[in-house]
Amino acid sequence: QLQLVESGGGLVQPGGSLRLSCVASGFTLDDYGIGWFRQAPGKEREAISCISSSGGSTNYADSVKGRFTISRDNVKNTMYLQMNGLKPEDTAVYYCNIATYWGQGTQVTVSS
């Protein structure tokens, strides 16, 4: 079975940091480009960041540029989203995506 599983979400104070992980099963991660998305209640799902299969090219949404970093470990079949300088508006469910496959999401809540 092809599957993506996110983890690492939780409650963090403004200005804090969090690292999300996404483990891919059933396929080789280095065959694909990957991306992170997020969706807040009542809002559209938005693309946050993407990275090429080799890791040589990355893109970020303006809302997270300079604060978030996407990376991948193809040996471990895992991709990451390092989130620094978190703001309350970053509160959302975060999803990883590869081709047509999506993880179940992990909740990130930024609040004092």
Side-chain angles (χ1 to χ4, degrees), residues 38-41 46 88-94 106-110:
R38 69 184 181 187
Q39 187 168 24
E46 62 175 328
E89 51 263 43
D90 294 320
T91 296
V93 178
Y94 285 71
T106 185
Q107 177 71 50
V108 172
T109 302
V110 185

Side-chain angles (χ1 to χ4, degrees), residues 32 86 100:
Y32 304 92
L86 284 164
T100 62

Side-chain angles (χ1 to χ4, degrees), residues 11 18 33 45 57 82 98:
L11 176 64
L18 213 56
R45 184 172 297 186
S57 180
Q82 178 67 47
I98 300 177

